[in-house]
Amino acid sequence: MGTKTTFVCDCCFREADNNLGWARVHINGASGDKQLMPDDNRDLCEICWSPLQTLMKKVHEEARGKRNPPRGG
């Protein structure tokens, strides 16, 4: 009989029997040219990952809009 794997969210510490819907997020500890904290990888459950994913999408869309302004013609 195999051992059972338990996944633990690094944000809310929720435990689950599988990691369906979870995300492995790489956190870069650098800001500008300074390394402020160590780089880290975090496992986030779907509850913690979902709002972060929505926020990241919004930030990326705003940045894309600044890089590619609409052309008036």
Side-chain angles (χ1 to χ4, degrees):
M1 189 125 134
T3 58
K4 185 174 137 185
T5 302
T6 301
F7 298 92
V8 179
C9 178
D10 289 325
C11 182
C12 69
F13 303 109
R14 183 173 155 254
E15 295 184 4
D17 294 335
N18 64 55
N19 62 348
L20 189 67
W22 286 44
R24 184 138 181 100
V25 178
H26 178 74
I27 298 170
N28 184 348
S31 177
D33 59 348
K34 295 182 180 171
Q35 187 77 18
L36 301 179
M37 45 190 264
D39 292 345
D40 197 11
N41 288 313
R42 302 272 176 96
D43 291 315
L44 300 180
C45 70
E46 64 274 14
I47 296 169
C48 296
W49 168 237
S50 183
L52 179 62
Q53 190 176 26
T54 303
L55 176 65
M56 287 170 52
K57 184 178 181 208
K58 181 180 178 215
V59 168
H60 286 184
E61 285 174 354
E62 287 175 3
R64 193 175 298 118
K66 289 178 184 174
R67 279 195 314 267
N68 304 320
R71 297 180 186 190

